[in-house]
Amino acid sequence: MPTEEQTWKVGPLAEASGLTVRTLHHWDQIGLLAPSRRTASGHRAYTEQDVVRLYQILALRRLGLGLETVATCLDAGVDPLRLVREHLAATDASLAALHDLRERLARLHTDLAAEREPGTADLLRLLRAVGATGPAADRALRRHLDDDQLHALADHAAALGPAAHYLLEVEWPQLYRRAEELRRAGTDPADPRVRRVVERLDELSRLFSGGDATLSAAVRTAWREDPAALSGDPQAPADAWADLRAFLDHARRAAS
């Protein structure tokens, strides 16, 4: 005879997780974590699967992700372990670039303090080091957007605060990879799982473009011509996303 699954009311779960009842109620209201069962008396209760989702939410929150990003990661099937691994790799690369930049700046400072004019080769290496501290996606965008568009993109990204890094370098590529997994599995473009991914991709596009259609088109061109940099996959061939773009466009038409 199967044993009945354990459930938790909101109060005991809040106490066990170190959260407040108000927080759990808010997460329920926004659809991030909703109790899946009801008790015999009609009260809503959290199941063991709900508790697993709560653990995942808390783990992603500790990375600094916002609630909307957390919801997208979980609902779109993003692997939290992969997310952490990629964030760690990107951080290590940034630290290495910054270390190189610091050494070059220190040498330049020494030369200037001694009133020695730095050589042209040193200045060029310094400029390359400065460029290396930015994400690969940023460097790819610079090949496709003019100065005004880059400034507008930077302003929109600045308005997003620290979340911009995660949205652009982690969540956006992850969403494209999830869409590709669905496409390869033969999923109908009208499937709700595909629609959720497309809706979030379009939402991110609006966040970074400020709703500017011309800017959005330029960014899409960058994605089409520099998939390796913008997808986070250095092995991505130039036509890597042709089938996926058609799949996503089909999903957009199905939703309209």
Side-chain angles (χ1 to χ4, degrees):
M1 185 175 182
T3 58
E4 186 175 349
E5 181 183 23
Q6 182 178 2
T7 59
W8 292 262
K9 292 183 180 179
V10 64
L13 184 59
E15 182 178 357
S17 61
L19 300 170
T20 64
V21 170
R22 182 177 180 180
T23 294
L24 289 178
H25 279 158
H26 175 61
W27 289 0
D28 182 9
Q29 291 169 358
I30 64 175
L32 179 62
L33 180 68
S36 300
R37 298 276 289 275
R38 286 190 179 273
T39 65
S41 58
H43 293 96
R44 302 183 73 182
Y46 295 86
T47 65
E48 293 176 1
Q49 282 302 110
D50 295 333
V51 174
V52 170
R53 183 177 175 90
L54 173 59
Y55 170 78
Q56 294 172 332
I57 292 170
L58 294 177
L60 292 174
R61 287 286 284 163
R62 290 191 183 98
L63 292 176
L65 275 66
L67 292 180
E68 289 186 2
T69 304
V70 170
T72 300
C73 287
L74 295 179
D75 294 341
V78 175
D79 180 6
L81 178 60
R82 182 175 184 175
L83 186 151
V84 174
R85 183 168 60 244
E86 292 188 356
H87 185 203
L88 178 61
T91 301
D92 286 341
S94 295
L95 287 173
L98 286 171
H99 178 72
D100 181 52
L101 174 59
R102 187 191 184 285
E103 288 188 342
R104 295 184 187 281
L105 285 172
R107 287 197 292 271
L108 179 60
H109 179 270
T110 300
D111 288 341
L112 293 175
E115 297 184 352
R116 292 194 301 269
E117 184 176 346
T120 302
D122 290 333
L123 288 176
L124 289 175
R125 282 194 293 270
L126 177 60
L127 290 173
R128 284 196 293 271
V130 171
T133 62
D138 180 68
R139 296 194 294 275
L141 288 173
R142 289 180 180 277
R143 291 193 287 270
H144 299 279
L145 277 66
D146 61 33
D147 287 343
D148 288 341
Q149 290 173 321
L150 285 170
H151 284 308
L153 199 63
D155 288 342
H156 296 312
L160 294 172
H165 169 82
Y166 294 98
L167 298 178
L168 183 61
E169 294 190 62
V170 179
E171 184 183 357
W172 208 323
Q174 285 279 20
L175 287 169
Y176 269 96
R177 279 190 283 268
R178 174 57 174 164
E180 177 66 2
E181 290 172 359
L182 292 169
R183 186 191 70 81
R184 287 180 177 274
T187 310
D188 187 335
D191 188 286
R193 291 172 296 173
V194 182
R195 187 172 64 250
R196 285 195 295 270
V197 172
V198 169
E199 287 174 351
R200 181 57 177 168
L201 284 170
D202 291 345
E203 182 182 12
L204 291 180
S205 177
R206 289 191 295 273
L207 283 173
F208 281 95
S209 69
D212 185 327
T214 302
L215 183 54
S216 292
V219 173
R220 284 196 298 273
T221 299
W223 264 99
R224 183 174 62 252
E225 298 184 9
D226 281 298
L230 290 171
S231 69
D233 179 5
Q235 305 303 318
D239 61 350
W241 302 98
D243 292 338
L244 179 56
R245 283 196 305 273
F247 178 71
L248 295 176
D249 287 342
H250 189 171
R252 291 184 178 96
R253 290 193 297 270
S256 61

